[in-house]
Amino acid sequence: MSETDIATLLAAHPELIDKLLTAQTPEQTAAWWQSLTLDQQHALVLGGSTLIGALDGLPPAIRVAANRINAANQLPDLERRQFTADFNHLVSIWSLEGH
C-alpha cells in the first residue's frame, strides 16, 4: 500500500488504530516492523503517522518522526483555536470595560 492508501484506510476506519495498538506485544511489534521493507516502513510513517507514533515496540526515532508529522498536521488547528480563544478573551475584556 502507498502512504496515501494507508492514510485513506485509517481515516475511513479509525477503529483499526485501536485494534492494532492492542493486538500485539511490543516485542511482536518490533519483529513485525523489522520484517517490513524500508519502503513499507516509510509509507507507514507517512500515511499512518497517528498509528506509528503511538505504537509500542518501534524504534524511538521512528515514533518521533511520526509524531512530528502528527504535530505538523495538528498545528494549524491548534493555532486557530488559540487565536479564537485570544480573540474571545479580548472581546470579553472589552465588554467588561463598557464598550
Side-chain angles (χ1 to χ4, degrees), residues 10-26:
L10 293 176
H13 299 284
E15 73 279 2
L16 290 176
I17 293 173
D18 291 333
K19 288 181 183 179
L20 291 170
L21 288 174
T22 59
Q24 301 185 71
T25 66

Side-chain angles (χ1 to χ4, degrees), residues 8-82:
T8 302
L9 175 65
L10 293 176
H13 299 284
E15 73 279 2
L16 290 176
I17 293 173
D18 291 333
K19 288 181 183 179
L20 291 170
L21 288 174
T22 59
Q24 301 185 71
T25 66
E27 294 78 17
Q28 291 169 320
T29 299
W32 163 76
W33 184 257
Q34 291 301 317
S35 74
L36 300 175
T37 67
L38 288 177
D39 286 342
Q40 290 170 326
Q41 291 175 353
H42 184 77
L44 280 166
V45 169
L46 294 177
S49 61
T50 303
L51 168 65
I52 298 303
L55 201 54
D56 287 336
L58 297 185
I62 298 299
R63 291 183 66 180
V64 167
N67 284 323
R68 285 185 180 180
I69 293 168
N70 295 334
N73 290 340
Q74 294 173 10
L75 190 58
D77 184 51
L78 294 172
E79 288 174 339
R80 181 185 50 74
R81 288 181 190 188
Q82 182 61 47

